Amino acid sequence: MKMNRRKFLSYIGCSCCGFILPSCTSAPITKRSQLKIIPESRLNAQAAEIYEKIKEKEKMSNDKETLASIKNYF
């Protein structure tokens, strides 16, 4: 069975839409549309891992005045 080019491209297009459409969501704050290829749980796990590595390398500041101003800013 020989498939013509137009039929092949329509199959590829439909399969791509089947992958992309469920991944489209809106951002919670801005309500803008976005494509989520990587699940949020995986992103959070990677962010936590990177944060732990940074905590190991960097020292915490002992300057209480600067820390207080940062806490009050946020």
Side-chain angles (χ1 to χ4, degrees), residues 46-60:
Q46 289 175 341
E49 185 179 318
I50 292 169
Y51 177 67
E52 291 301 322
K53 287 180 183 178
I54 290 173
K55 280 186 1 183
E56 289 173 6
K57 291 181 182 177
E58 302 297 326
K59 294 182 181 179
M60 292 291 287

Side-chain angles (χ1 to χ4, degrees), residues 9-56:
L9 291 175
S10 69
Y11 287 147
I12 294 297
C14 289
S15 63
C16 288
C17 287
F19 171 71
I20 291 175
L21 288 178
S23 300
C24 292
T25 61
S26 61
I29 296 172
T30 62
K31 305 295 183 206
R32 289 175 34 188
S33 295
Q34 61 184 4
L35 176 64
K36 286 189 170 183
I37 296 174
I38 300 173
E40 191 169 344
S41 59
R42 184 172 168 194
L43 288 176
N44 289 340
Q46 289 175 341
E49 185 179 318
I50 292 169
Y51 177 67
E52 291 301 322
K53 287 180 183 178
I54 290 173
K55 280 186 1 183
E56 289 173 6

